[in-house]
């Protein structure tokens, strides 16, 4: 490796892409193309970065497997930044194995980190946890150590394991300080601020209280019967009953919680669950069926008693009832939460992360755009969606695939 390539690589490691480009901007050999691609990625020019990295990979010969694998890892990280998260993970896994076999443990760890972060974006938290658990962080460069700790912190926050998240954030801050890269340090500090921002509202007996993530975790671990409108489920004392895929049952549970300690009328339940203004006997019969399903599902935690007017929620073990509402509500709350990271998302990536059809996501985005909550940039296949960053509260509880509380 010549002196200019070495100097450019050191500048990129320090987070100074302009200094790197000053040395290699006019060169077209594969090592220079690879470094130029990384520099462009650090400057936010992701499409151009991807082109340069692909050209570099083609330029390296078949006998330069390590260099080609490094280009593939860098391109995968660019794809992650572009929210191009729908590809197969197999090429990245093969690149990691190649790098590990040739003793390049740092870049192999980076490849595994990219995959773990992709799984976090997709909401596949159990798989992301397994990927992070297999990662050996000993001896990693400070930049990679900080990113690994940040990923572990996000996983812990998504699972509401607040002490583990604080420990991981402390490790990330220490590693980022050693790295000396301002952008990375700012990212860590932004993650730390999420712990102190409002995350949800507790509604009980007609009053609302703003809760932070730690307070949400304490509430869900208590004996209070919690109807969680953030992650769509019912919990109490460590027991978690998910209802994210049963919207009618959750709508009934939420309406009953809003009415507690009183009862909810049949008309109110039908209007909320079935979106019908005028109920007839067929709707009342359907309501009885759905209430029976909800009663059977919630039986470990509560009973649902029939009253003269409708139905009432009766928690077991003399528990209280609390309704946990998100800081932003509505059908598009999860979309706004994903877009709040300030990164442009494609419709296909949003559909993949939410496990929904692209058509459903397009309809939701159209409604949000009409309300001024999101905006589109570009057109056709290059269209991307953006939302203004949400600095007043955190959207951790609205992200897809929340883990059950343990």
């Amino acid at each position: 490796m010549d002196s200019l390539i070495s100097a450019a690589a050191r500048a990129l490691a320090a987070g100074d892409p302009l200094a790197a480009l000053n040395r290699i901007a006019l060169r077209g050999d594969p090592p220079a193309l690879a470094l130029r691609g990384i520099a462009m990625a650090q400057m936010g020019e992701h499409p151009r970065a991807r082109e340069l990295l692909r050209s570099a990979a083609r330029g390296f010969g078949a006998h330069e497997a390590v260099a080609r694998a490094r280009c593939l890892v860098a391109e995968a990280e660019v794809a992650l930044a572009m929210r191009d998260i729908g590809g197969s993970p197999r090429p990245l896994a093969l690149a990691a194995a190649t790098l590990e076999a040739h003793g390049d443990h740092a870049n192999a760890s980076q490849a595994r980190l990219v995959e773990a972060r992709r799984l976090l974006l997709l909401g596949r938290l159990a798989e992301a946890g397994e990927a992070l658990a297999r990662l050996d962080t000993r001896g990693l460069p400070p930049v990679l150590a900080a990113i690994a700790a940040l990923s572990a912190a996000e996983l812990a926050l998504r699972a509401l394991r607040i002490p583990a998240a604080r420990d991981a954030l402390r490790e990330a801050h220490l590693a980022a300080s050693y790295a000396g890269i301002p952008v990375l340090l700012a990212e860590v500090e932004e993650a730390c601020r999420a712990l102190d921002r409002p995350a949800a509202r507790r509604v009980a007996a007609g009053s609302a209280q703003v809760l932070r993530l730690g307070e949400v975790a304490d509430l869900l671990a208590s004996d209070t019967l919690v109807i969680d409108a953030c992650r769509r489920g019912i919990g109490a004392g460590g027991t978690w009953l998910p209802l994210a895929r049963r919207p009618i049952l959750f709508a009934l549970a939420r309406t009953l919680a809003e009415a507690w300690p009183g009862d909810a009328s049949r008309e109110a339940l039908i209007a909320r669950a079935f979106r019908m203004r005028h109920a007839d006997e067929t709707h009342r019969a359907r309501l009885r069926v759905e209430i029976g399903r909800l009663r059977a599902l919630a039986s470990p935690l509560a009973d649902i008693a029939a009253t003269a007017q409708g139905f009432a929620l009766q928690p077991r073990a003399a528990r209280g009832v609390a309704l946990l509402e998100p800081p932003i509500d509505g059908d598009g709350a999860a979309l706004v939460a994903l877009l709040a990271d300030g990164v442009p998302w494609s419709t296909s990536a949003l559909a993949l992360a939410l496990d929904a059809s692209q058509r459903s996501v397009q309809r939701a985005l159209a409604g949000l755009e009409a309300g001024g909550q999101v905006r589109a940039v570009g057109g056709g296949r290059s269209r991307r969606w953006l939302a203004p960053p949400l600095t007043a509260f955190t959207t951790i509880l609205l992200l897809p695939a929340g883990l059950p509380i343990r």
Side-chain angles (χ1 to χ4, degrees):
M1 186 180 296
D2 60 52
S3 59
L4 288 178
I5 293 292
S6 299
R10 287 193 297 269
L12 290 175
D16 191 354
L18 291 178
L21 288 175
N22 282 337
R23 292 169 171 83
I24 57 170
L26 300 179
R27 293 179 51 167
D29 53 302
L33 288 175
L35 293 177
R36 284 169 57 191
I38 295 170
M40 298 304 287
Q42 290 187 3
M43 295 170 64
E45 298 291 337
H46 297 125
R48 179 58 177 155
R50 175 179 271 184
E51 292 174 8
L52 289 167
L53 288 166
R54 287 178 175 174
S55 296
R58 288 193 298 267
F60 287 115
H63 61 285
E64 297 174 291
V66 172
R68 292 169 65 90
R70 288 172 180 168
C71 289
L72 196 151
V73 172
E75 184 186 342
E77 188 153 16
V78 171
L80 187 70
M82 296 173 67
R83 297 300 186 257
D84 184 2
I85 53 179
S88 170
R90 181 173 172 78
L92 187 60
L94 292 174
T98 298
L99 293 167
E100 194 71 54
H102 288 82
D104 189 352
H105 303 297
N107 282 301
S109 297
Q110 183 176 2
R112 296 189 177 99
L113 267 176
V114 169
E115 179 58 20
R117 290 158 59 201
R118 173 181 171 273
L119 292 169
L120 281 172
L121 281 177
L122 290 172
R124 292 157 60 176
L125 304 186
E127 295 175 58
E130 293 173 1
L132 288 173
R134 292 194 299 267
L135 187 66
D136 186 2
T137 58
R138 293 172 297 179
L140 282 182
V143 173
L144 292 182
I147 294 173
L150 267 177
S151 301
E154 181 180 349
L155 182 65
L157 286 173
R158 299 276 290 274
L160 288 181
R161 293 185 282 111
I162 306 304
R166 291 188 187 277
D167 291 342
L169 287 171
R170 278 194 290 268
E171 293 178 14
H173 193 277
L174 182 62
S177 299
Y178 278 125
I181 299 176
V183 174
L184 181 59
L185 194 57
E187 186 176 353
V188 174
E189 291 171 351
E190 176 63 22
C192 292
R193 283 192 286 271
L195 289 167
D196 297 319
R197 289 178 180 153
R201 293 170 291 149
R202 176 182 179 174
V203 180
S207 63
Q209 176 190 3
V210 174
L211 301 181
R212 293 177 296 181
L213 282 172
E215 295 166 331
V216 171
D218 292 340
L219 174 63
L220 290 169
S222 70
D223 286 336
T224 303
L225 180 66
V226 180
I227 311 301
D228 187 347
C230 299
R231 299 175 303 157
R232 304 297 180 98
I234 304 174
T239 301
W240 176 252
L241 304 174
L243 292 175
R245 295 186 177 275
R246 307 187 73 172
I248 290 178
L249 297 191
F250 179 76
L252 293 174
R254 182 172 184 170
T255 307
L256 291 170
E258 290 171 350
W260 187 87
D263 59 350
S265 68
R266 290 174 175 82
E267 290 74 16
L269 290 166
I270 289 171
R272 174 67 70 85
F274 307 143
R275 300 183 180 183
M276 295 288 182
R277 292 184 179 180
H278 305 289
D280 57 25
E281 288 304 318
T282 60
H283 299 128
R284 293 187 179 92
R286 185 183 176 192
L287 176 64
R288 288 192 295 272
V289 172
E290 299 296 345
I291 285 289
R293 290 171 176 164
L294 180 61
R295 183 183 287 121
L297 187 144
S299 59
L301 302 177
D303 188 22
I304 300 173
T307 66
Q309 300 299 321
F311 296 90
L313 191 62
Q314 296 180 343
R316 302 191 186 280
R319 294 185 174 104
V321 174
L323 173 62
L324 196 65
E325 293 188 338
I328 53 175
D329 210 343
D331 294 336
L335 273 173
V336 174
L338 283 172
L339 294 171
D341 61 4
V343 178
W345 285 70
S346 66
T347 305
S348 59
L350 290 168
L352 194 60
L354 294 172
D355 193 19
S357 70
Q358 287 196 46
R359 185 59 186 152
S360 298
V361 171
Q362 287 169 348
R363 285 196 296 266
L365 286 170
L368 292 170
E369 186 180 27
Q373 293 176 273
V374 303
R375 63 185 178 90
V377 293
R381 305 185 83 179
S382 64
R383 171 169 287 191
R384 296 293 184 270
W385 294 91
L386 286 163
L390 303 174
T391 57
F393 49 83
T394 179
T395 57
I396 289 290
L397 297 178
L398 296 176
L399 295 174
L403 285 175
I405 302 302
R406 297 182 180 178

